[in-house]
């Protein structure tokens, strides 16, 4: 029995769309290695290894999966088997790149997924006698617009991570280390419905001023502002990602006031997310609120990133990105403020663009939570 999160018809439609987009881009074919794109297209999970696994598809081509024979059972248990895609298997001592060439025939322009390493890209290009190019524009377009089934999985992930945030106040207290709190949060992430823990950030006091701090052995102090940024994958492989800011004991008046501004900035960006707006305009909506309060220089990163089978994917909600938002795009909205050596704060939700605005998938309290 298949354990795939979606029906074979969903994967067939994804393959057809990828082939059509390749044709629109003038590509004869695309080659997709293990990684998020392969997971999205046919449900094959895992990372690239020294033995080549690759999906070959394109306009007029029968999709073919080149795969080591020792990996056949794994690949057949995915949509590859359900759809009866052609398998070109090989064993050590044989040349897998010859199988790619046979699946392609005569080609001029071929794109490769960005997760396929040089270890395979260079010999494939040499075997084909063409200069390979990135298939990222094709694959990005395929994955960027979520269908109803994907949105349902993102909702599931959002509900699960909200449940974890509701448990954080009972775990976060003075005298515990960040690492101890993070370990309990990781257990809660799994207990609340995720199959994997992708990341846990517990940034207390001055550590919260580092946006990508993870955890340390710092002992949490009374009065600390604490950033908790957490996420994982639910059984379908779709990810959660949500940040809330907490205070252990009463925070300073200045910190409370600045975090209240941050909450307003995050809401402004959520309000700006709608079809026809650009990614840069959503970013500016948050940035303008912070700048008006004299906090613009404390905002050190973009406002958001897309999410799906990857925690970070297109679209990126950043200054200068004129990508026009469309219904079905899913991304984070996560402005933050950071004061080196002192404290930091971030508020993050995942939203999905709807016909006339956006749906917020995280509803845990946004205000500064005092524990």
């Amino acid at each position: 029995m298949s354990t795939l999160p979606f029906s074979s018809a969903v994967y067939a439609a994804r393959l057809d769309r990828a082939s059509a987009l390749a044709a629109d881009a003038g590509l004869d074919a695309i080659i997709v290695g293990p990684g998020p794109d392969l997971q999205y297209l046919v449900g094959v999970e895992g990372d690239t290894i020294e033995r080549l696994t690759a999906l070959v598809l394109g306009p007029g081509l029968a999709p073919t999966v080149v795969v080591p024979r020792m990996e056949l059972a794994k690949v057949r248990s995915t949509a590859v088997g359900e759809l009866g895609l052609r398998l070109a298997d090989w064993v050590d001592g044989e040349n897998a790149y010859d199988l790619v060439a046979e699946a392609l025939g005569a080609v001029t322009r071929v794109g490769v997924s960005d997760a396929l390493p040089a270890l395979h890209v260079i010999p494939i290009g040499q075997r084909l006698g063409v200069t390979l190019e990135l298939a990222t524009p094709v694959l990005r377009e395929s994955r960027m617009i979520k269908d109803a089934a994907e949105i349902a999985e993102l909702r599931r992930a959002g509900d699960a991570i909200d449940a974890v945030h509701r448990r954080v106040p009972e775990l976060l207290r003075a005298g515990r280390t960040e690492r101890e709190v993070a370990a309990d949060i990781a257990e809660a992430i799994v207990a609340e419905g995720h199959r994997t823990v992708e990341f846990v950030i517990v940034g207390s006091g001055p550590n919260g001023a580092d946006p990508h701090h993870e955890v340390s052995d710092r002992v949490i102090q009374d009065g600390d502002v604490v950033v908790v940024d957490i996420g994982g994958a639910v059984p379908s492989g779709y990810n959660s990602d949500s940040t809330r800011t907490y205070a252990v004991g009463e925070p300073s008046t200045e910190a409370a006031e600045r975090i209240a501004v941050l909450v307003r900035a995050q809401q402004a960006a959520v309000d700006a997310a709608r079809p026809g707006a650009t990614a840069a305009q959503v970013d500016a909506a948050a940035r303008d609120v912070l700048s008006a309060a004299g906090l613009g220089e404390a905002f050190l990163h973009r406002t958001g990133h897309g999410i799906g089978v990857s925690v970070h994917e297109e679209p990126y909600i950043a200054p200068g990105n004129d990508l026009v938002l469309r219904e079905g795009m899913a991304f984070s909205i996560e402005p933050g403020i950071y004061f080196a050596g002192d404290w930091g704060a971030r508020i993050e939700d995942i939203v999905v663009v709807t016909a006339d605005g956006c749906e917020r998938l995280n509803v845990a309290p946004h205000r500064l939570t005092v524990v």
Side-chain angles (χ1 to χ4, degrees):
M1 180 180 295
S2 171
T3 58
L4 289 172
F6 308 111
S7 70
S8 58
V10 168
Y11 291 103
R14 292 176 180 180
L15 289 169
D16 288 344
R17 177 163 168 73
S19 292
L21 288 168
D24 292 344
L27 294 174
D28 298 316
I30 57 176
I31 301 170
V32 183
D37 291 315
L38 194 62
Q39 180 181 346
Y40 171 80
L41 288 170
V42 290
V44 174
E45 298 187 40
D47 298 320
T48 292
I49 59 175
E50 73 278 7
R51 296 183 175 95
L52 178 69
T53 293
L55 168 66
V56 179
L57 74 159
L61 296 177
T64 298
V65 179
V66 176
V67 57
R69 193 165 297 162
M70 62 192 298
E71 298 287 326
L72 265 179
K74 171 186 172 182
V75 170
R76 281 178 171 149
S77 71
T78 69
V80 173
E82 287 196 1
L83 294 172
L85 301 186
R86 178 175 176 267
L87 290 163
D89 60 295
W90 61 282
V91 296
D92 292 341
E94 297 178 344
N95 190 329
Y97 308 117
D98 287 342
L99 299 179
V100 174
E102 290 170 10
L104 286 173
V107 290
T108 302
R109 290 188 61 198
V110 178
V112 295
S113 63
D114 53 22
L116 194 64
L119 171 71
H120 297 308
V121 170
I122 291 173
I124 289 172
Q126 290 172 337
R127 177 62 181 80
L128 297 178
V130 300
T131 300
L132 300 175
E133 55 192 278
L134 282 173
T136 304
V138 168
L139 297 169
R140 174 184 62 206
E141 181 66 18
S142 294
R143 287 170 51 193
M144 202 161 41
I145 307 298
K146 270 59 179 181
D147 60 27
E150 290 178 285
I151 293 169
E153 290 305 310
L154 289 171
R155 285 196 194 101
R156 184 195 309 271
D159 289 344
I161 210 66
D162 277 355
V164 179
H165 271 296
R166 285 193 288 271
R167 294 173 60 173
V168 168
E170 68 191 51
L171 307 174
L172 187 62
R173 60 181 180 269
R176 304 197 76 198
T177 67
E178 293 175 350
R179 196 176 307 280
E180 289 170 339
V181 174
D184 287 344
I185 290 174
E187 288 185 8
I189 288 173
V190 174
E192 294 294 348
H194 295 80
R195 70 175 187 187
T196 61
V197 179
E198 294 300 313
F199 56 91
V200 177
I201 293 173
V202 179
S204 64
N207 288 340
D210 175 2
H212 277 174
H213 174 77
E214 293 181 359
V215 297
S216 75
D217 291 317
R218 181 182 185 274
V219 176
I220 297 166
Q221 306 294 316
D222 189 56
D224 277 350
V225 174
V226 184
V227 177
V228 176
D229 184 354
I230 52 180
V234 293
S236 64
Y238 281 71
N239 284 278
S240 64
D241 185 1
S242 181
T243 310
R244 293 293 185 263
T245 300
Y246 300 84
V248 178
E250 288 300 321
S252 69
T253 300
E254 180 185 59
E257 290 175 348
R258 287 179 168 182
I259 293 170
V261 174
L262 176 63
V263 172
R264 294 202 305 271
Q266 202 261 356
Q267 182 63 55
V270 172
D271 292 341
R274 61 185 56 252
T278 67
Q281 287 171 335
V282 175
D283 178 272
R287 209 168 294 276
D288 288 349
V289 172
L290 293 172
S291 295
L295 299 174
E297 293 299 317
F299 185 12
L300 306 179
H301 52 73
R302 66 194 175 206
T303 292
H305 57 80
I307 192 167
V309 293
S310 295
V311 177
H312 286 195
E313 59 184 52
E314 297 275 4
Y316 294 108
I317 310 303
N321 186 357
D322 293 328
L323 178 74
V324 175
L325 302 183
R326 287 174 282 163
E327 185 175 358
M329 288 183 174
F331 48 85
S332 68
I333 293 183
E334 52 178 306
I337 49 176
Y338 309 95
F339 306 96
D342 199 356
W343 59 274
R346 184 163 63 253
I347 306 295
E348 175 185 18
D349 294 322
I350 301 303
V351 302
V352 177
V353 179
T354 61
D356 57 359
C358 74
E359 175 188 357
R360 197 195 303 253
L361 301 188
N362 299 106
V363 296
H366 296 78
R367 66 183 183 276
L368 177 65
T369 300
V370 178
V371 301

